[in-house]
Amino acid sequence: MYDFAIIGGGIVGLSTAMALGERYPHAKVLVLEKESEWAFHQTGNNSGVIHSGIYYKPGSFKAQFSRDGSRSMVEFCQKYDIDHEVCGKVIVASNQQELPRLENLYTRGLENGIPVKRISPEEVKEIEPHVSCVGGVQVFSTGIVNYKQVCLKYAELIRNQGGDLRLNTQVLKIVRSGRNQVLETNNGSFETRFVINCAGLHSDRIAKLGKANPEAKIVPFRGEYYELTPEKRYLVKTLIYPVPNPDFPFLGVHFTRMIDNTVHAGPNAVLSLKREGYKKTDFDFRDFAEVITYPGFWKLAAKHADEGIQEIIRSFSKAAFVKSLQKLIPEIQAADVIPTHAGVRAQALMNNGSLVDDFLIIAGENSIHVCNAPSPAATSSLEIGKAIVKQIPEPTHLHSLVA
């Protein structure tokens, strides 16, 4: 019998397990992950950026979690000697029409309590000599890290707390047993008093197994990246972002110097025909059918038809992808970039076609379901874990388990 069972071994599931161990050191905590290693999907395929929170609406969970999370993530990496760097980034306007949106970002950064600075094109070139722009904003608190390395440390700390970590264990069914719940898996059954669903790309399905209504469906978007060839890495010193289109839910292609010193360019954003579809050819009939029959998807597609078509063109045309990169660094040529890994983003979508822009955490019977944990979830994982634990009601049996 477990006190808590967490479904999903990505960075949010592991951070929640660690927060539970800190809050309830005498509790029996179980983490179930269907893959053969931790952080296999979204966490292990993201950009590795420690986000500042400049893009997010003041007062939102995203803004709060990102601001606090960037600090706690850096402190965690310092404490456990995890490779990271607070390198900062520049957001640049490529033309005069983008300057008002750049100014809005600067104002939002100030409202969110983030250290930011307006910089001229000449000042941008002092930081990133190869960028062409008409203005920029410097964000000082942005950093880079390997989140898979972070997750391995989380898992180690959970084991040290006495947590039970199970890989290769997929939850197939959730059954009530009195006041408890039984998780039936491919590796046996596990009874628990409380379930926390951190299943990422499958969080809506797990919520339904637990008789909770997420009121949103996960729609997978694949982000495809190119990588600068080694001899061209000098073109990017830190991180370079365009001014995002406020009417489009993605940030646009950008340059990220990774912690291993490689430089990634991207991503675009295209519908994935499989929830774990990292290749263009990946296809799953159930995943595809769920999206294509969901009214919310068609409403979203109609709203962003022009941008969506451009994303698809970039997916199949290297020339089009490179052209978007040349807006930031004009001297980039097709020969300077090679394809690299893709990631899949679990985006919660409402039936009316609106994207769930913030974290979506819903309560069920003796359960909590994290049904949308978008970027900056990795940055904010320590804060999200603590916030989830605070939402757990404290029945009598937990009182004796508190530190």
Side-chain angles (χ1 to χ4, degrees), residues 294-346:
Y294 187 53
F297 168 73
W298 293 107
K299 293 171 185 174
L300 175 73
K303 182 178 179 182
H304 297 292
D306 291 343
E307 295 93 341
I309 290 169
Q310 292 303 312
E311 295 289 334
I312 293 170
I313 291 172
R314 274 197 289 268
S315 177
F316 287 93
S317 168
K318 183 177 183 180
F321 202 109
V322 171
K323 187 177 180 180
S324 66
L325 298 176
Q326 289 171 336
K327 283 186 63 180
L328 299 174
I329 300 180
E331 63 193 274
I332 289 277
Q333 300 298 315
D336 300 335
V337 295
I338 54 177
T340 186
H341 78 279
V344 178
R345 169 177 171 173

Side-chain angles (χ1 to χ4, degrees), residues 204 208 213-218 294 348-351 356 360 371:
D204 56 339
K208 289 178 181 177
N213 182 12
E215 297 184 353
K217 183 177 290 295
I218 294 297
Y294 187 53
L349 179 64
M350 305 297 286
N351 192 62
V356 180
L360 177 61
C371 293

Side-chain angles (χ1 to χ4, degrees), residues 89-92 102 106 117-125 127 133-140:
K89 76 173 178 181
V90 291
I91 305 171
V92 297
L102 183 69
Y106 170 74
K117 177 185 177 183
R118 290 192 199 92
I119 51 177
S120 67
E122 294 74 24
E123 290 173 310
V124 170
K125 282 194 172 291
I127 302 167
C133 68
V134 296
V137 168
Q138 186 175 10
V139 185
F140 296 95

Side-chain angles (χ1 to χ4, degrees), residues 193-213:
R193 291 187 171 96
F194 200 92
V195 172
I196 303 175
N197 166 19
C198 299
L201 284 157
H202 302 279
S203 57
D204 56 339
R205 292 173 176 170
I206 293 294
K208 289 178 181 177
L209 288 181
K211 303 296 189 294
N213 182 12

Side-chain angles (χ1 to χ4, degrees), residues 236-251:
V236 177
K237 306 297 181 186
T238 56
L239 290 81
I240 307 165
Y241 281 66
V243 178
N245 179 351
D247 298 323
F248 193 56
F250 303 103
L251 292 177

Side-chain angles (χ1 to χ4, degrees), residues 335-397:
D336 300 335
V337 295
I338 54 177
T340 186
H341 78 279
V344 178
R345 169 177 171 173
Q347 176 62 60
L349 179 64
M350 305 297 286
N351 192 62
N352 65 5
S354 63
L355 293 168
V356 180
D357 188 50
D358 212 346
F359 291 89
L360 177 61
I361 302 173
I362 63 173
E365 188 174 357
N366 293 336
S367 62
I368 287 177
H369 301 270
V370 183
C371 293
N372 198 53
S375 178
T379 297
S380 313
S381 55
L382 291 164
E383 305 305 317
I384 296 169
K386 290 185 285 189
I388 291 170
V389 171
K390 285 181 181 177
Q391 290 191 30
I392 298 173
E394 289 200 353
T396 305
H397 85 276

